Amino acid sequence: MGDFFELQTITKTFGSYKAVNHSTITIKKGEVFSLLGPSGCGKTTLLRIAAGFEQPDEGRVILDGKDITALPPNDREINTVFQNYALFPHMTVWDNIAFGLKIAGRSRSYIKSEVERMLDMIDLEEHAYKKPAMISGGQKQRVAIARALVNKPQVLLLDEPLGALDLKLRQRMLLELDRIHDEVGISFLYVTHDQGEAMSLSDRIAVMNRGHIEQIGTPVEIYEAPKSSFVAAFIGDTNFLESGKVVKQFADGYCNLKLDGFPDVICYNDNNHAVGEPVVISVRPEKLRVSFDEPPDHQYHNKVRGKVEDIIYFGSETKYFVRVQDYRLSVFQQNIHFLLEERQIKWNDEVWISWHGNDSYMLQRYTPEDEHLLAVPDPQAK
Amino acid sequence: MKRSSAPAWTTVLVIVFFYIPTLTLIIQSFNSAKYGGGWQGFTLDWYRKLMHEREVWRAVQNSLWIAAYSTLGATTLGTLGAWMLNRYKSKLQSAHYTLMYAPLMVPEILMGISLLMFFVNLGIPLGLPTIILAHITFCVSYVCFTVMGRLQDFDDSLIHAAQDLGAQWPTIIWKILLPLLGPGILAGALLAFTLSIDDFVITFFTSGPGSTTLPVYIYSAIKKGSLATINALSVLMMLVTFTIVLVSNHFINHKKT
Amino acid sequence: MHHADRHKRPPEWGLTMPSFGWMTLFFLIPSVLIFLIAFRPALPNGGIGEGWSLSAVKSLFDPSYPLVIWRTIWVSAICTTLCLGLGVPVAYYIARLPETKRRWVLLLIILPFWSNFLIRILAWQTLLHSEGPLKQLLEFLRVMDPHTTLLYNVWVVLTVLVYTELPFAILPIYAAAEKFDFSLLDAARDLGASQFRAFWTVFLPGIKRGLLTALLVVLIPAFGTYAITDLVGGTQAEMIGNVIARRVLSDKNYPQASALSAALCLVILTPMLIALFTQRRQNGGAAK
């Protein structure tokens, strides 16, 4: 499976605002590819360039080896599912789905059979003659997808397609989208700000921030091996240990780090930071283990002592906020034997926190603009 | 995606089309040529002459009095009507709605003629009172629908809340309804005032001797062909209305922020 | 609201009466009166005679009327077409502007129309006057013979009519266009529609209500045009309004004026009432 749909070195400015800066993504045939990022990161602009609604200032759009940069949206074999569905309010569900085929001048019998096939796929046969205002949000969503897919596009673009739905419906629609993708087997370019959607649906994800792409990778790569502090903070929760400095590099890839206001730690040096280089260490809350008893010593394990400041009970798991010197770490613990435990962790308890050196990452320090992404603000921070 | 530039060009052409006659009029009012011919030098003579035309100022007075009374009458009737239409959904309101709506569907000349026939039949002499009655009648509908637009955004639970807190109707009207609906009513009143000041056709058919309004005066002056002073008068009138519009626009903008 | 209905029946009648009564007295009764007077005889020296007569109604078939009625209809129709045809692109353009610019362009469009209606006609008269700037320009360019006049023909009437009615067409179309979801146009393009086709199949149906309002707002006054034809049209461009006015003002033949007015009234009201009632039925009854 080679590269099929490519956005090459795209740059787009609106006035003095650089919406997309020199960004490249390549999507394979049949792949679900997500553009993930906070609002204003440029993901929607990139999608509109892919659809043909915007012309890039620089860069090219390639579909199946053909340069389609200059083609208007109506001449591209690409269809879009819009953020608020953009169903034509004056047409019935049937007419909405048939729109593209009618424009293309297909025969009446072809239109009829194709629209019926689509209605069957989205399971809305009995609503075919209703106007969009008469059906629910989830149904509109399915109509929007059917209306795009009936034209048999090479690529389907989805712009925050689940944004307007409530949580339960969103989860159902995710499964539905997955099923539809398996059925049609074309490439999906999925734009979202919701990491959960992106993680569960995508083959690969591009994380975008302020107009450029921070990292492209599979969901596991993005989550387990973030390349930047932005990616670490934006995808899931994380604890940042700032102002670290590599003091000693071992041959097996691990290194010792010295930190201000935190005990020294050991960490796997993924990105080959040099000795003396300032770095930020990121550890996800679920990788931390909290216990009353001191964990046994282990070559690559870190253990620090702290005091419990806050506890949030979620049912299936509990989140602890533990003060360790200058830092307040958040720790996720699955409640496997919660009520059976002899001694439950309470406020102000002294506890041990431990983690494996391979479960933390050394990253470049985040820029001040991304500071707000720090998961939990520390009330005691100066 | 390139968007067609046709709408932009149409807009520019339309604006040019809108301004050329007005600009010509303004320029001509300073032209010393008597019959508005070619440019024969700048003059303020027409404005000076205008100041001495007694009839103009009589007409201005008439227009203002008529507008004042019509605004008062139409605003009261229209606001009350809008309130009832919004509050009740009955057969009576259905008929009421039709009565309010129908005048908007009738050309001015028909309304003028029918009122003229009505007054003639009843033997009521034409004059300022008949003009005021006519003006109130055509302004009521406009006030009613302007106020109703605002009423539809009005949250009825506010009244229930006020009652719940012990307020009586006079207090509710004074402390809740007027402050919240005031801008809507004011907008309706302003519309009524402008419509009344501006109206020519209905006024023309319902006016009698001595009740000449400004538009009727302008009409007869154009008919007589004494255009020069009328140009000057028009420019002055435009100046007044533009000032009012710009000031109120400015005022509304500032209130919003 | 339900309990208000039950307990406050008398206030509903009492408080509805002022506006209801006023409109009945000064709008409904005079309108009905016109239909009655149409069947009265005219007195030779002006005024309305006793008894009943069909002469005024018969006069509607006067051979000079069909021409005037035909002119009224086609001038109104062309005027409305032009107003909608110009109003749609202008409204579309303004609705797509950024919000801050929109206010100013709208103000620019409305501003000339805050001047008096007659002043606007006068402005055209000044512009097209035999010694006015446009005539002189055309003479200078040798496009026009100095002896012909720009004024007093049906084309001038049409121009001035469009000039006075166009803003009233733009405003309701703009109000609808402003609420239009422009992503629908993107969707149509995305599904293969050309720019023109998207505009035609998606934008125009989307602003249907605004178009309908604009149509009424332009067509009704156009049918009743009186002052414009009177001031810049001359006798060759007369419309029904002028004939009615002449019957009232110079002949004082009130029955004939009434008969003409009643006919005009029927021509306008019949389609309107049909539209109103079908719309009401679609909306499910109660007035809103």
Side-chain angles (χ1 to χ4, degrees):
Chain A
M1 282 206 298
D3 295 335
F4 178 64
F5 183 48
E6 300 171 58
L7 297 167
Q8 294 177 342
T9 58
I10 301 283
T11 297
K12 176 75 185 175
T13 46
F14 294 107
S16 62
Y17 174 66
K18 213 162 210 163
V20 178
N21 192 1
H22 216 72
S23 298
T24 298
I25 55 173
T26 55
I27 300 167
K28 298 184 173 81
K29 196 159 192 161
E31 182 181 40
V32 178
F33 190 98
S34 288
L35 279 173
L36 175 63
S39 59
C41 72
K43 58 188 192 300
T44 299
T45 306
L46 209 49
L47 176 121
R48 290 178 63 81
I49 288 169
F53 299 128
E54 307 283 357
Q55 280 291 314
D57 302 336
E58 286 165 40
R60 299 194 302 165
V61 183
I62 310 276
L63 177 63
D64 202 10
K66 288 189 293 280
D67 187 337
I68 58 164
T69 319
L71 281 188
N74 43 326
D75 292 338
R76 297 184 181 199
E77 284 179 276
I78 294 174
N79 287 112
T80 309
V81 175
F82 290 84
Q83 192 160 10
N84 295 310
Y85 322 132
L87 296 181
F88 305 124
H90 58 292
M91 297 180 195
T92 61
V93 167
W94 208 98
D95 287 329
N96 262 286
I97 298 176
F99 188 87
L101 299 177
K102 280 185 190 160
I103 296 277
R106 298 307 183 92
S107 74
R108 198 178 285 202
S109 57
Y110 177 81
I111 294 176
K112 188 170 183 300
S113 72
E114 282 301 294
V115 172
E116 273 161 12
R117 194 172 65 80
M118 279 296 150
L119 283 168
D120 177 54
M121 185 182 85
I122 58 168
D123 200 21
L124 279 179
E125 291 101 329
E126 71 270 38
H127 299 295
Y129 298 101
K130 286 185 182 163
K131 296 263 176 83
M134 310 277 289
I135 59 177
S136 72
Q139 290 168 336
K140 281 183 201 161
Q141 178 58 64
R142 274 141 60 192
V143 175
I145 294 168
R147 183 180 70 173
L149 286 176
V150 76
N151 306 293
K152 304 216 165 93
Q154 306 258 34
V155 180
L156 183 70
L157 310 177
L158 300 105
D159 185 7
E160 302 264 5
L162 309 183
L165 304 177
D166 61 47
L167 186 66
K168 276 268 158 62
L169 204 52
R170 207 146 62 203
Q171 287 165 348
R172 261 203 3 234
M173 281 307 299
L174 270 176
L175 293 173
E176 182 107 9
L177 270 175
D178 210 27
R179 178 181 71 78
I180 291 172
H181 179 254
D182 288 347
E183 209 172 311
V184 295
I186 57 166
S187 309
F188 278 23
L189 175 58
Y190 191 100
V191 163
T192 181
H193 69 275
D194 186 307
Q195 37 157 320
E197 285 174 23
M199 300 287 255
S200 58
L201 203 63
S202 318
D203 296 315
R204 286 191 303 148
I205 299 173
V207 182
M208 281 190 85
N209 182 32
R210 283 183 282 113
H212 67 271
I213 289 166
E214 297 255 343
Q215 185 172 358
I216 297 180
T218 64
V220 174
E221 282 166 1
I222 297 273
Y223 188 80
E224 300 291 346
K227 286 260 166 57
S228 70
S229 48
F230 172 82
V231 176
F234 188 72
I235 314 287
D237 257 357
T238 197
N239 293 292
F240 281 126
L241 303 172
E242 296 171 62
S243 60
K245 208 169 251 177
V246 181
V247 288
K248 193 171 173 199
Q249 178 71 47
F250 300 109
D252 55 5
Y254 286 86
C255 67
N256 277 336
L257 293 122
K258 205 163 195 60
L259 298 128
D260 289 344
F262 200 83
D264 294 353
V265 296
I266 185 165
C267 182
Y268 190 75
N269 193 348
D270 253 27
N271 298 324
N272 299 319
H273 291 281
V275 173
E277 196 181 325
V279 290
V280 173
I281 296 162
S282 153
V283 199
R284 299 220 181 261
E286 76 277 8
K287 308 286 193 220
L288 300 178
R289 194 166 300 275
V290 61
S291 61
F292 283 117
D293 306 322
E294 181 174 354
D297 277 334
H298 186 283
Q299 193 187 357
Y300 299 126
H301 263 89
N302 294 292
K303 56 182 179 185
V304 294
R305 212 156 156 64
K307 192 171 167 192
V308 176
E309 282 189 340
D310 251 319
I311 302 172
I312 305 173
Y313 176 70
F314 287 110
S316 64
E317 66 244 317
T318 303
K319 194 172 199 175
Y320 301 94
F321 290 96
V322 182
R323 163 107 6 224
V324 180
Q325 294 186 16
D326 285 2
Y327 285 89
R328 188 173 138 99
L329 299 180
S330 74
V331 181
F332 250 130
Q333 193 104 316
Q334 289 276 317
N335 295 328
I336 306 172
H337 313 293
F338 196 70
L339 291 173
L340 296 175
E341 268 162 34
E342 284 169 29
R343 196 176 151 205
Q344 286 178 10
I345 296 170
K346 300 239 157 53
W347 273 34
N348 292 329
D349 280 347
E350 293 277 338
V351 292
W352 282 95
I353 290 179
S354 58
W355 73 94
H356 193 280
N358 197 18
D359 283 337
S360 55
Y361 305 95
M362 291 157 62
L363 304 163
Q364 297 216 312
R365 204 178 147 31
Y366 44 81
T367 52
E369 290 93 329
D370 293 333
E371 199 122 23
H372 65 278
L373 292 161
L374 274 171
V376 181
D378 183 350
Q380 283 180 27
K382 287 138 244 169
Chain B
M1 181 169 60
K2 281 198 199 83
R3 268 195 220 143
S4 162
S5 61
W9 282 110
T10 316
T11 309
V12 171
L13 284 178
V14 161
I15 288 173
V16 169
F17 174 61
F18 281 176
Y19 279 84
I20 280 186
T22 321
L23 290 179
T24 316
L25 184 83
I26 294 172
I27 293 166
Q28 286 296 344
S29 78
F30 298 106
N31 186 354
S32 54
K34 193 166 182 185
Y35 294 106
W39 186 254
Q40 289 183 14
F42 179 87
T43 180
L44 284 174
D45 272 1
W46 309 119
Y47 288 88
R48 251 176 246 126
K49 273 211 178 105
L50 185 69
M51 294 304 139
H52 299 293
E53 292 229 22
R54 273 253 194 92
E55 266 184 87
V56 174
W57 302 109
R58 274 294 305 262
V60 170
Q61 272 186 16
N62 280 343
S63 276
L64 286 175
W65 277 114
I66 291 167
Y69 279 114
S70 312
T71 304
L72 191 69
T75 307
T76 316
L77 289 169
T79 305
L80 191 60
W83 178 259
M84 299 315 285
L85 280 174
N86 190 59
R87 193 161 179 77
Y88 298 99
K89 307 274 171 260
S90 56
K91 280 260 160 63
L92 176 70
Q93 296 308 331
S94 217
H96 190 195
Y97 180 88
T98 313
L99 263 183
M100 285 293 200
Y101 194 73
L104 302 176
M105 298 280 114
V106 167
E108 281 192 305
I109 189 161
L110 285 186
M111 204 162 184
I113 297 284
S114 63
L115 279 165
L116 172 66
M117 295 300 155
F118 179 69
F119 294 135
V120 165
N121 241 24
L122 290 178
I124 301 173
L126 299 179
L128 289 180
T130 49
I131 299 177
I132 292 170
L133 290 178
H135 279 207
I136 291 177
T137 309
F138 77 78
C139 289
V140 166
S141 303
Y142 288 97
V143 176
C144 178
F145 287 105
T146 309
V147 175
M148 219 155 86
R150 307 287 171 112
L151 273 175
Q152 274 156 6
D153 302 332
F154 181 77
D155 181 4
D156 263 341
S157 61
L158 290 178
I159 296 178
H160 299 296
Q163 284 172 328
D164 184 63
L165 296 168
Q168 300 294 315
W169 270 105
T171 322
I172 292 174
I173 291 174
W174 193 244
K175 295 267 182 193
I176 311 279
L177 295 183
L178 275 183
L180 285 175
L181 300 177
I185 298 171
L186 195 70
L190 245 139
L191 185 61
F193 191 85
T194 353
L195 286 171
S196 169
I197 284 270
D198 202 45
D199 180 74
F200 164 68
V201 176
I202 295 177
T203 316
F204 186 59
F205 287 104
T206 52
S207 62
S211 61
T212 301
T213 64
L214 202 49
V216 175
Y217 176 83
I218 295 172
Y219 172 80
S220 41
I222 300 174
K223 275 259 143 179
K224 270 185 260 164
S226 53
L227 296 185
T229 48
I230 291 302
N231 284 342
L233 174 64
S234 306
V235 173
L236 283 183
M237 280 172 70
M238 277 194 269
L239 210 63
V240 172
T241 31
F242 290 173
T243 316
I244 293 171
V245 171
L246 289 176
V247 166
S248 63
N249 208 49
H250 184 78
F251 181 66
I252 290 164
N253 278 359
H254 271 246
K255 249 189 137 178
K256 269 189 191 157
T257 47
Chain C
M1 206 73 105
H2 279 287
H3 85 152
D5 258 356
R6 247 182 283 128
H7 295 290
K8 297 192 174 161
R9 202 114 196 102
E12 188 194 342
W13 279 87
L15 292 174
T16 306
M17 265 316 120
S19 50
F20 192 93
W22 185 283
M23 296 315 275
T24 309
L25 186 61
F26 292 107
F27 175 72
L28 186 62
I29 293 177
S31 302
V32 174
L33 199 63
I34 277 188
F35 286 85
L36 294 179
I37 294 176
F39 293 96
R40 293 279 192 165
L43 296 178
N45 56 345
I48 306 157
E50 293 290 317
W52 302 95
S53 154
L54 279 175
S55 62
V57 178
K58 275 187 192 143
S59 74
L60 285 179
F61 300 96
D62 182 300
S64 70
Y65 288 160
L67 190 67
V68 176
I69 290 168
W70 170 236
R71 191 185 293 129
T72 308
I73 290 171
W74 76 255
V75 168
S76 305
I78 293 182
C79 166
T80 309
T81 315
L82 283 173
C83 284
L84 294 189
L86 291 168
V88 168
V90 172
Y92 173 88
Y93 175 73
I94 302 174
R96 296 217 83 164
L97 283 176
E99 204 155 343
T100 42
K101 276 191 196 162
R102 250 188 255 169
R103 295 183 54 86
W104 287 107
V105 178
L106 265 185
L107 189 67
L108 200 62
I109 282 185
I110 301 167
L111 201 60
F113 296 87
W114 280 93
S115 64
N116 186 279
F117 168 65
L118 290 167
I119 293 178
R120 277 172 272 147
I121 305 176
L122 173 65
W124 275 97
Q125 213 183 30
T126 316
L127 178 67
L128 301 178
H129 197 269
S130 57
E131 288 167 44
L134 190 63
K135 176 76 186 298
Q136 287 185 330
L137 179 74
L138 292 175
E139 266 178 52
F140 175 78
L141 295 172
R142 313 280 154 156
V143 204
M144 239 191 102
D145 184 325
H147 300 292
T148 55
T149 169
L150 286 170
L151 278 168
Y152 310 118
N153 60 60
V154 76
W155 303 109
V156 177
V157 171
L158 194 59
T159 310
V160 180
L161 202 53
V162 169
Y163 178 77
T164 50
E165 298 300 337
L166 185 52
F168 300 103
I170 292 176
L171 291 180
I173 299 174
Y174 165 72
E178 194 204 11
K179 292 193 198 101
F180 181 77
D181 175 7
F182 283 100
S183 68
L184 294 178
L185 285 182
D186 283 350
R189 296 297 308 273
D190 188 69
L191 294 166
S194 64
Q195 213 164 9
F196 177 76
R197 187 119 185 223
F199 186 83
W200 195 258
T201 52
V202 176
F203 183 65
L204 288 186
I207 56 164
K208 202 173 68 185
R209 283 191 93 92
L211 288 173
L212 196 73
T213 312
L215 178 89
L216 291 182
V217 161
V218 175
L219 195 61
I220 292 169
F223 268 132
T225 306
Y226 161 66
I228 295 173
T229 30
D230 196 46
L231 293 174
V232 297
T235 42
Q236 324 157 23
E238 266 192 345
M239 289 171 56
I240 298 182
N242 303 84
V243 180
I244 296 176
R246 184 153 8 92
R247 295 283 164 271
V248 170
L249 299 171
S250 39
D251 313 350
K252 293 225 184 292
N253 189 333
Y254 294 150
Q256 265 196 37
S258 296
L260 275 168
S261 305
L264 180 58
C265 192
L266 283 180
V267 168
I268 293 166
L269 279 185
T270 318
M272 229 132 286
L273 286 177
I274 291 169
L276 195 71
F277 277 110
T278 48
Q279 203 180 10
R280 225 16 122 63
R281 193 157 300 166
Q282 274 172 8
N283 293 350
K288 222 213 148 183

